Amino acid sequence: MKKILICAVPFSDNLGDGVIAASLAHIAGLKYPKASVEFLDIAGRVGFQEENLRGGGAFEVFARLPSLLRSLIVFLYCLKGYFLVWRKNWKAAVSDAELVVIGGGQLFCDVALNFPAKLFLLSRLLRGKRVVVVSVGVTAKWSFWGRYLVKRFIKNARPVFYATRDKESAHNLHTHFRIPRGSIRVVPDPALVCADAFSEELSPEKNWDIGICVSSLDALVMNSEYSNSNSTESARFFSTLAESLQAQGKRVLYFTNGASEDNKVLSEISSGAGAVKSGFFVPRHPDELVSLISACSCIVAHRLHANIVAYSLNIPSIGMNWDKKVESFFELTKRKRYLFDLSPRVEKLEASVLSVLSEKTPDRQTLDLLRGEVVAGVHALI
């Protein structure tokens, strides 16, 4: 094997996607140490910190548009990018790849046709290539056109193997796209091995008792599979939690997964009156995200990959549920007692945080089993 091409969103400002890509590359390198592993970002990015509309005022306008109009705008944007820039770059990247890996992450989801359009356009260049789908998340909510575009991706790319990251995704892949259930494997999220992939970036010191991963709750709700999700005022929610933990004498760090909409909320918090008592960090690369989480004794997070990174590093995390993928992860790791709803009462979160900080013997057995499943499962597919 000379070249493996991983197609996902490795340069997304949501750095959890970069952690997934680096972890997949690490796993591939264990089996093919002499192979070149390269990344292709299906959003057209070629590096980190590229601009997007989600962090500015345009996002608020876009979110209020009718769903059909949002989908049309996204599809036309993808067509423009593909024919003006992406096609040339993607064709060059694909041309000498012996294996094309699609995954991991929530790539099979339909938010205004975003990923369906990108997967379809990419598939036009994958005919005749050996393609595998690895550890993807598959949502249950699909529009007619989203389902149609992904079916075209499947017809063009003709993947030889399919693996989803959880049983719910396997069910959705079978139900919506008629992939035989017996042909779908379940391989947990590759980021579960990020402790090995980023071993040199881990902090030797626990500089913070609690890391609070700040998110835009409005953005989470817009992307949620749950139809009854309701958000609260984001900055106030996180600052109230931090103040209650600081009153207990705890060192608190605010951080984000890097997403622009989350950084906007963090900026609002940092400009507040009580901000001087806390630390603030906006990671710009996946290694920075892993490093800062490794410096915490416990984290509180909505974002799936903040929780996965912490779990991989054997750091307890308190999760808040806004989407089925978060719930599935806490079920997989047998930690549903540490999963709360989208915006729980601060008193409940505080009590849970103080409880896990006092635990002396974290469970490594489940983590070690899952890490083994990930490596063995990916190796079986590639």
Side-chain angles (χ1 to χ4, degrees), residues 1-3 28-29 31-37:
M1 185 75 66
K2 293 182 179 179
K3 177 179 170 180
K31 183 171 184 178
Y32 300 108
K34 295 183 179 180
S36 168
V37 181

Side-chain angles (χ1 to χ4, degrees), residues 22 100 244 287 307 320 333:
V100 177
S244 69
D287 56 346
N307 284 292
M320 287 165 285
T333 55

Side-chain angles (χ1 to χ4, degrees), residues 1 9 16 35 65 77-78 140 150 180-181 192 206 208 214 228 240 273 301 307-308 353 365 367 375-376:
M1 185 75 66
V9 281
L65 295 175
Y77 170 82
C78 291
V150 173
R181 185 60 186 87
L192 284 163
K206 297 298 182 186
W208 306 96
V214 173
N228 59 346
T240 301
N307 284 292
I308 292 179
V353 169
Q365 185 176 5
L367 170 59
V375 174

